[in-house]
Amino acid sequence: MMNYLTFANGDKMPSVGLGTWKSAPGEVYQAVLWALEAGYRHIDCAAIYQNEKEVGEALSKAFADGLVSRDDIFVTSKLWNNAHLEGDVAGGLSRTLADLQLAYLDLYLIHWPVALKSHVLFPKEGSDYLSYQEAPLSGTWKGMVKEKHAGRVRHIGVSNFNIEKLTELWESSEVKPEMNQIESHPYLRQDKLVGYCKQRNILLTAYSPLGSADRPKARRKADDPVLLEDAHVAEIAKKHDVSAAQVLIAYALHRGMAVIPKSVNRERISQNLAAKDLLLEDEDLRLLNGMSDQFRFVDGTFFTEVPGSPYAQSDLWEQ
Ligand code: A2P
């Protein structure tokens, strides 16, 4: 199984990373250390997860103890929506670097194609937003490119970008997005978007690969499907004598993506990394690729359904 994704300049990104979205302060410190001890060399972070300080403390401890050195690990973070103005990107990155106690990031992503005013974390009303006219994505991207040239980030990309938004960026700059981090699992294959990215050598990272059953209550409905309990996934897991989570992680790897399962449990953290060694068979992949019901767990309505929002679902997802 592919252990790394490779950027155009030859830099390598370990294909299984530790996800830290929803990892509570008080838990994420230990989770990062367990992950590094288990052999993870890729940690996925974001300013909005509001736990980067604690991730930074864990990384510092790991460096001080000689568990890993900075150059051994691959750290991703994401620019929050309230720092989209070209002149605000540097400040957003400075805060993340200070919190993570790092001099540089391996990868920095625009978290969403949605802009908020600088004092807003999550929007409650129309006046909390900046429109595309006020904060064009091409301006945000220019700020990202500057940071790449300055060396504070090695690679730059985006998250939650559809084909239209990727094309807009692609055409706006000589420096192209190198990564698109998207929700991806058998219930949301996004074949068209994946094909588009592969054609342009935009690498992919699968988030919520296990179906993020621990997502906030406000983002869950009683009849939402539970990916980890899927009968086909269970059948494949039984055949290979592995867990459902391992099947789902291996599925992302078989599609050529990096994958960032979140866990704060020591045994599950190790188990998830071991999924690298699971070889799925053609019939397994046929089953996983053939699920007709497609479902998005992180649907972006928390940006598009706020009264007065200038953003629509068509700004986020393929329609
Ligand atoms: P926990 O952190 O207690 O391990 P996603 O990566 O799709 O966001 O999913 C994260 C959810 O899946 C969390 O609730 C996490 O719980 C759980 N999880 C992570 N790894 C496993 C595993 N190997 N088996 C079962 N559940 C897991």
Side-chain angles (χ1 to χ4, degrees), residues 132-183:
Y132 286 131
Q133 287 70 37
E134 293 166 310
L137 287 170
S138 57
T140 315
W141 188 246
K142 274 189 199 153
M144 301 285 283
V145 170
K146 265 189 219 153
E147 295 300 342
K148 181 171 173 172
H149 287 149
R152 293 209 297 169
V153 300
R154 298 254 158 105
H155 300 281
I156 51 177
V158 296
S159 179
N160 297 302
F161 271 47
N162 64 14
I163 291 176
E164 188 191 310
K165 292 288 176 290
L166 278 172
T167 306
E168 216 178 290
L169 273 199
W170 193 270
E171 288 170 357
S172 81
S173 173
E174 284 303 306
V175 183
K176 309 299 184 191
E178 298 170 90
M179 171 67 68
N180 192 14
Q181 184 178 123
I182 58 172
E183 180 178 337

Side-chain angles (χ1 to χ4, degrees), residues 98-123:
D99 286 350
L100 292 172
Q101 302 185 43
L102 298 176
Y104 71 92
L105 292 177
D106 298 277
L107 177 63
Y108 199 39
L109 308 176
I110 301 179
H111 206 149
W112 288 88
V114 167
L116 300 171
K117 290 192 177 150
S118 59
H119 63 280
V120 177
L121 269 193
F122 267 96

Side-chain angles (χ1 to χ4, degrees), residues 21-22 207-214 228 243 245-246 249 260-265 267-269 271-272:
W21 175 42
K22 310 176 259 80
Y207 79 68
S208 296
L210 311 180
S212 283
D214 60 343
L228 275 171
S243 71
Q246 288 178 308
I249 293 163
I260 46 168
K262 171 266 175 184
S263 180
V264 291
N265 172 281
E267 193 280 324
R268 290 193 284 276
I269 287 172
Q271 186 199 113
N272 293 347

